[in-house]
Amino acid sequence: MVIEYSGIVVRSVLTDKREKFYDSKGIGCYMFRIDEAEVVDATMHGSAARFINHSCEPNCYSRVIHVEGHKRIVIFALRRILRGEELTYDYKFPIEEPAAKLPCNCGARRCRRFLN
Ligand SMILES: [Zn+2]
């Protein structure tokens, strides 16, 4: 285990509203989807895990685990990680239509070119 992606658990239906609010204030938004119903919003109250970037060839992965009845997002190492090495994991965004494609700049040899 590397770090928990902690933050405030919010219902999915509230994420658009929160994102718009953060945008209007110029605040960078950090959210991680737990499942269809819930999202962790780490924007204002969250761990440093929110700063971990995506990579198509990552050294970590994320898992939703259940702890005493609560869902928690945890980042685990995929392999031995060297001191000073950047932590990355695959964001696994849902596949969207071409118009909404987010380009990936991870620089991995086998980069998929898009995050979604
Ligand atoms: Zn990539």
Side-chain angles (χ1 to χ4, degrees):
M1 178 187 164
V2 178
I3 190 170
E4 179 181 354
Y5 190 107
S6 60
I8 296 167
V9 178
V10 295
R11 285 178 293 136
S12 284
V13 290
L14 298 174
T15 56
D16 281 357
K17 202 173 172 183
R18 282 180 170 243
E19 228 177 305
K20 278 181 192 141
F21 172 78
Y22 296 141
D23 277 352
S24 74
K25 302 284 181 196
I27 300 168
C29 178
Y30 297 92
M31 293 192 192
F32 192 117
R33 177 169 293 284
I34 296 173
D35 53 30
E36 283 179 21
E38 292 179 320
V39 170
V40 168
D41 182 352
T43 306
M44 302 304 282
H45 305 278
S47 68
R50 69 184 188 274
F51 300 121
I52 300 175
N53 286 316
H54 162 88
S55 174
C56 297
E57 288 184 287
N59 54 18
C60 296
Y61 65 97
S62 64
R63 276 290 175 278
V64 176
I65 62 168
H66 297 258
V67 181
E68 293 173 359
H70 297 279
K71 292 171 198 158
R72 293 177 176 272
I73 300 161
V74 179
I75 309 299
F76 292 99
L78 262 174
R79 58 169 171 77
R80 187 180 163 85
I81 296 168
L82 302 173
R83 183 188 303 249
E85 193 179 341
E86 182 183 356
L87 301 175
T88 56
Y89 63 91
D90 188 335
Y91 284 5
K92 293 185 174 162
F93 284 169
I95 293 165
E96 291 180 46
E97 55 192 89
K101 286 282 187 194
L102 292 169
C104 182
N105 299 306
C106 77
R109 265 179 299 122
R110 283 176 287 175
C111 178
R112 295 188 303 267
R113 294 180 42 236
F114 295 100
L115 277 108
N116 55 350

